[in-house]
Amino acid sequence: MSTTQTNKIEIIKAATSKINEVDFENLSFGSIFTDHLFECDFKNGEWQKPVIKPYAPFLLDPSSRVFHYGQAIFEGMKAYKDEDDAIWLFRPDENYKRFNKSAVRMAMQEVPEDIFMNGLKELLKLDEAWIKRGKGNSMYIRPFMIATGTGVIANPSDNYKFMIILSPVSAYYAGEVKVLIAEHYSRAANGGIGAAKAAGNYAAQFYPTSLANKQGFQQVIWTDDATHTKLEEAGTMNVFFRINDTLFTAPVSERILDGVTRKTLIDLAKSEGINVDVRPVLVSELVEASKNGTLKEIFGAGTAAVVSPISGFSYQDVYHELPNNEDSMALKLKDKLTNIQNKIAEDTFGWTVKV
Amino acid sequence: MSTTQTNKIEIIKAATSKINEVDFENLSFGSIFTDHLFECDFKNGEWQKPVIKPYAPFLLDPSSRVFHYGQAIFEGMKAYKDEDDAIWLFRPDENYKRFNKSAVRMAMQEVPEDIFMNGLKELLKLDEAWIKRGKGNSMYIRPFMIATGTGVIANPSDNYKFMIILSPVSAYYAGEVKVLIAEHYSRAANGGIGAAKAAGNYAAQFYPTSLANKQGFQQVIWTDDATHTKLEEAGTMNVFFRINDTLFTAPVSERILDGVTRKTLIDLAKSEGINVDVRPVLVSELVEASKNGTLKEIFGAGTAAVVSPISGFSYQDVYHELPNNEDSMALKLKDKLTNIQNKIAEDTFGWTVKV
Ligand SMILES: Cc1ncc(COP(=O)(O)O)c(C=O)c1O
Ligand SMILES: Cc1ncc(COP(=O)(O)O)c(C=O)c1O
């Protein structure tokens, strides 16, 4: 291992690379990590010296607050390589802002912009060989922060660890996605933490999702917990509904994550002349539109799966199959978006940022 | 360190004890841990050999699911030493059952009873010198489980770590407790995980609680998130309201933790001839009772603080001071309960279990 300093980040390089052990043709999402990680600790009331070092397990006290009280947040973003091997990020400022919004809601320390952004960029540069060119290929970036303060008392931690890890991913076909509309279980409360990318929000969905899986549905579309009449979002995706030629999606709220893909697709759709209506969408409207044939598409939108067409939904034990569309808006928007992300089409929106 | 086997638990003893470094007269809740911990891992589809070993930090991969998706649950219970130095648990079966209820809701592995109970008992025996006699003194027991499987994909983990750590505690006076009744923020959703002792439920409360702290309130009493009209529970305590000579407390539900102290106090109160009414209590009823002078007491009930009298509450910016009662039911019930727990009074209910 060799030690150098770049922009105040200490860099400890791995003695050898694991890259040759990786089969880039058969990547399973989020399971392979690059040679290095970025780490910065908050303790004694301040952020300590950031460091990039070999990816490896680290030590935590058994009474660390992350284990007992769940102070843990994360982000999900991607980096892309263009034909000239330049590395690009997609709207990283949105992820940075959302990360600190999550931090505030979970009573955690906000991460300074230079630590987040420089850490991210230096790490990507160091492990750049792991980023593959070509549409669908990207580097999935996982910034996260956990409470490392000790003591089993239900108070916010004094100490935090902020880390960034990188996982190379390729385009993936999720298979057919059938969804179940939630009638009893919920992912978020009014006045709760649904709008934060808090770790606890995800574990909360696993059990109801496993019940849906057993019935043959890959995902759940959550509804508002008070009435279960309004469509909200899926586990890791916001959701769009196409009725005739208008796209509908729920407004973001304290129950719904303000997805970067969602807001990007809204702008892209508008620029294509598609009518987009952001308003609460009722389950009853969806059922009605399905019955009278005006419901054309449903799709999820999120960084991991980009745009994920849904083939049908179940509500009150009735399965509604969606039609096959020649002119799928989902696929059209996905194509537009990935062309911009992979620097194949011009980015007239100024969304892409060079590392 | 020496290695022995007891009931199939491998025991690795600490070379030296830290007990002489501890000031048992000035214990800060949950901050000091005994010499050993109990650990049992679930991997390859089965529970591995349980081990008791020196309390120490342990290694986790940066992509461990507990960090990213919040699969983490815990319990809180206490052990007591009687005048003959025998060690007693209080209703441990209730904590064991609740632990596995939490495990199911968080899509985690259930822990077999022998691992939970034998681990607990052997650990208490080994570190018995840390349990002090005398009313108010006890050993706070923290069983917990975290997802140790790796990979940043939002699915339940395959691997788990179950641990028990011990923290000696003494009676503590929380100081004056004024509470704020929640009007906007919430701790649980309908169809959510409020009834589970899931780590994420606690971090979710930190920010709204810190806002209450800034206004001079030590705790928040949560209300139902859909209407904010029904009183539910406090951060780590169920809540009782005394109107005239009747005790009211909310029924447990999927939003409210089924507290062992709560159900114990209900039985104790009934055995004392106190009228207990378990039904949804409206904020408006509380305000009304406060205004007409029939509201006599509010108190929290939980393992950590046992019974915690509340001196007043704020709702819609009006502070309602509670009267000083000569015949406080809270203090009477607390006394009855701690006498049973500390084996000072006879346990006619069969709640105490010898280790
Ligand atoms: C709950 C939830 N909703 C929506 C999204 C989509 O957000 P984004 O497009 O920023 O990835 C995600 C994933 O990131 C998510 O976790
Ligand atoms: C949310 C919550 N409610 C109530 C309680 C009280 O439960 P118990 O009496 O079993 O300790 C606790 C603490 O354990 C808790 O965390």
Side-chain angles (χ1 to χ4, degrees):
Chain A
M1 292 198 285
S2 71
T3 303
T4 51
Q5 305 231 158
T6 310
N7 299 333
K8 297 186 273 125
I9 302 173
E10 185 187 355
I11 300 185
I12 305 168
K13 283 196 187 148
T16 54
S17 175
K18 299 170 295 188
I19 196 166
N20 292 327
E21 296 159 28
V22 177
D23 177 1
F24 282 88
E25 302 303 309
N26 293 292
L27 294 169
S28 145
F29 192 93
S31 61
I32 298 289
F33 297 93
T34 66
D35 290 324
H36 301 91
L37 58 75
F38 174 83
E39 179 184 64
C40 192
D41 287 331
F42 182 88
K43 60 183 175 199
N44 304 325
E46 58 188 6
W47 287 99
Q48 307 293 307
K49 189 169 182 54
V51 56
I52 288 175
K53 60 185 188 183
Y55 184 99
F58 61 97
L59 285 168
L60 277 180
D61 190 273
S63 76
S64 297
R65 305 247 167 147
V66 59
F67 300 144
H68 301 272
Y69 306 117
Q71 278 185 297
I73 59 170
F74 68 95
E75 269 302 324
M77 48 207 294
K78 282 179 175 171
Y80 310 83
K81 217 176 221 177
D82 70 15
E83 286 308 305
D84 303 320
D85 281 342
I87 303 167
W88 296 85
L89 290 166
F90 188 76
R91 309 187 79 173
D93 48 316
E94 294 287 340
N95 296 92
Y96 170 67
K97 278 186 282 177
R98 191 170 66 186
F99 190 77
N100 277 345
K101 239 182 81 179
S102 299
V104 169
R105 183 61 183 84
M106 304 311 285
M108 299 171 79
Q109 203 60 36
E110 288 176 77
V111 175
E113 186 162 1
D114 64 320
I115 291 178
F116 189 102
M117 289 298 183
N118 290 337
L120 180 53
K121 289 175 182 172
E122 290 307 321
L123 183 61
L124 285 168
K125 280 186 212 163
L126 188 61
D127 283 342
E128 67 88 23
W130 293 74
I131 315 175
K132 300 298 176 193
R133 281 186 305 239
K135 203 161 162 169
N137 290 330
S138 65
M139 179 62 79
Y140 182 76
I141 302 163
R142 173 57 60 95
F144 68 102
M145 180 162 54
I146 56 172
T148 50
T150 59
V152 291
I153 181 151
N155 283 334
S157 175
D158 286 333
N159 299 342
Y160 296 93
K161 185 182 285 296
F162 171 66
M163 275 191 168
I164 306 174
I165 55 179
L166 304 178
S167 179
V169 295
S170 46
Y172 76 84
Y173 173 59
E176 193 179 26
V177 181
K178 297 180 187 180
V179 298
L180 186 68
I181 294 183
E183 292 168 47
H184 172 75
Y185 291 105
S186 313
R187 78 172 281 283
N190 296 297
I193 60 168
K197 250 180 117 67
N201 283 339
Y202 297 83
Q205 302 177 61
F206 289 168
Y207 175 69
T209 303
S210 74
L211 296 181
N213 293 162
K214 277 180 200 143
Q215 292 179 64
F217 303 99
Q218 286 71 41
Q219 302 243 4
V220 174
I221 293 187
W222 302 104
T223 49
D224 68 297
D225 82 300
T227 67
H228 293 295
T229 57
K230 284 177 243 162
L231 294 156
E232 308 237 284
E233 59 171 319
T236 58
M237 299 189 291
N238 295 103
V239 190
F240 287 82
F241 309 93
R242 175 183 165 194
I243 298 178
N244 287 321
D245 285 330
T246 298
L247 279 182
F248 293 87
T249 190
V252 292
S253 72
E254 61 182 353
R255 291 191 310 268
I256 298 181
L257 195 84
D258 186 0
V260 180
T261 316
R262 173 186 172 280
K263 69 175 77 170
T264 301
L265 290 187
I266 292 173
D267 287 350
L268 268 182
K270 285 180 179 167
S271 79
E272 293 294 311
I274 296 170
N275 195 20
V276 184
D277 201 348
V278 178
R279 65 155 172 84
V281 184
L282 301 177
V283 184
S284 58
E285 289 181 271
L286 197 69
V287 169
E288 186 55 34
S290 167
K291 283 188 187 156
N292 67 27
T294 54
L295 180 65
K296 304 293 184 198
E297 292 179 66
I298 305 178
F299 55 91
T303 297
V306 193
V307 174
S308 179
I310 288 165
S311 57
F313 71 93
S314 176
Y315 180 65
Q316 289 180 343
D317 295 325
V318 180
Y319 182 67
H320 301 256
E321 179 95 25
L322 287 165
N324 265 319
N325 294 290
E326 299 276 293
D327 66 331
S328 158
M329 281 188 187
L331 297 184
K332 180 176 177 177
L333 291 171
K334 179 173 186 169
D335 200 52
K336 292 264 166 211
L337 175 56
T338 51
N339 281 345
I340 294 174
Q341 289 172 330
N342 288 278
K343 303 301 284 183
I344 293 165
E346 198 195 340
D347 170 20
T348 54
F349 299 89
W351 287 328
T352 52
V353 175
K354 200 168 183 167
V355 173
Chain B
M1 293 200 283
S2 70
T3 304
T4 51
Q5 303 232 158
T6 311
N7 299 333
K8 295 187 274 130
I9 301 173
E10 184 187 359
I11 300 184
I12 305 168
K13 283 196 186 149
T16 54
S17 175
K18 298 169 297 187
I19 197 166
N20 291 328
E21 295 159 28
V22 177
D23 177 1
F24 281 88
E25 302 302 309
N26 293 291
L27 293 170
S28 148
F29 192 93
S31 61
I32 298 289
F33 296 93
T34 65
D35 291 324
H36 301 91
L37 57 74
F38 174 83
E39 181 183 65
C40 193
D41 287 330
F42 183 87
K43 58 184 175 197
N44 304 325
E46 59 188 7
W47 287 98
Q48 307 293 307
K49 188 169 181 55
V51 55
I52 288 176
K53 61 185 189 181
Y55 184 99
F58 61 97
L59 286 169
L60 278 180
D61 190 272
S63 76
S64 296
R65 306 246 167 147
V66 59
F67 300 144
H68 301 271
Y69 306 116
Q71 277 184 299
I73 59 170
F74 67 96
E75 268 304 322
M77 48 207 296
K78 282 177 175 171
Y80 310 84
K81 216 175 222 177
D82 69 17
E83 287 307 306
D84 302 320
D85 281 344
I87 304 167
W88 296 84
L89 290 166
F90 187 76
R91 310 187 78 173
D93 48 317
E94 294 286 341
N95 296 93
Y96 171 67
K97 276 185 283 177
R98 191 170 65 187
F99 190 77
N100 276 346
K101 238 182 83 178
S102 299
V104 170
R105 184 59 184 85
M106 303 311 284
M108 298 170 79
Q109 203 60 37
E110 288 176 78
V111 175
E113 186 161 3
D114 64 320
I115 291 179
F116 189 101
M117 290 299 182
N118 291 337
L120 181 52
K121 289 175 183 174
E122 290 307 320
L123 183 62
L124 285 169
K125 282 186 210 163
L126 187 61
D127 283 341
E128 68 87 24
W130 293 74
I131 315 176
K132 300 298 175 190
R133 281 187 303 240
K135 201 161 161 167
N137 290 330
S138 65
M139 180 62 78
Y140 182 76
I141 303 163
R142 173 57 61 95
F144 67 103
M145 181 162 53
I146 56 172
T148 51
T150 58
V152 292
I153 181 151
N155 282 335
S157 175
D158 286 331
N159 299 341
Y160 296 94
K161 186 183 285 296
F162 171 67
M163 275 190 167
I164 306 174
I165 55 178
L166 303 177
S167 178
V169 295
S170 46
Y172 75 84
Y173 173 61
E176 193 180 23
V177 181
K178 297 181 186 178
V179 298
L180 186 68
I181 295 184
E183 293 167 46
H184 172 75
Y185 291 104
S186 315
R187 80 172 278 285
N190 296 299
I193 59 168
K197 251 180 116 68
N201 284 338
Y202 298 82
Q205 302 177 60
F206 290 167
Y207 175 70
T209 303
S210 76
L211 297 180
N213 294 162
K214 278 181 198 141
Q215 292 179 65
F217 303 99
Q218 286 71 42
Q219 302 243 7
V220 174
I221 294 188
W222 301 105
T223 49
D224 68 297
D225 81 301
T227 67
H228 293 296
T229 58
K230 284 178 243 161
L231 294 156
E232 308 237 287
E233 61 171 317
T236 58
M237 299 188 291
N238 295 102
V239 191
F240 287 83
F241 309 94
R242 173 183 167 195
I243 297 178
N244 287 319
D245 286 329
T246 298
L247 279 183
F248 293 86
T249 191
V252 293
S253 71
E254 62 182 353
R255 291 191 310 268
I256 298 182
L257 195 84
D258 186 1
V260 180
T261 316
R262 173 187 172 281
K263 70 175 74 167
T264 301
L265 290 186
I266 291 174
D267 287 349
L268 268 181
K270 285 181 178 165
S271 79
E272 292 294 310
I274 296 169
N275 195 19
V276 184
D277 201 349
V278 178
R279 65 157 172 83
V281 185
L282 301 177
V283 184
S284 57
E285 288 182 271
L286 196 70
V287 170
E288 185 56 32
S290 167
K291 283 187 184 154
N292 67 26
T294 54
L295 180 65
K296 304 293 184 199
E297 292 179 68
I298 305 178
F299 55 90
T303 297
V306 192
V307 174
S308 179
I310 288 164
S311 57
F313 71 92
S314 177
Y315 180 66
Q316 289 181 343
D317 295 326
V318 179
Y319 182 68
H320 301 256
E321 179 95 25
L322 286 165
N324 264 320
N325 295 291
E326 299 276 293
D327 66 332
S328 158
M329 281 187 189
L331 297 184
K332 181 177 180 177
L333 291 172
K334 179 174 185 166
D335 201 51
K336 292 265 167 212
L337 175 57
T338 51
N339 281 345
I340 293 174
Q341 289 172 329
N342 289 276
K343 302 301 285 182
I344 293 165
E346 199 196 338
D347 171 18
T348 54
F349 299 89
W351 287 329
T352 52
V353 175
K354 200 168 186 168
V355 172

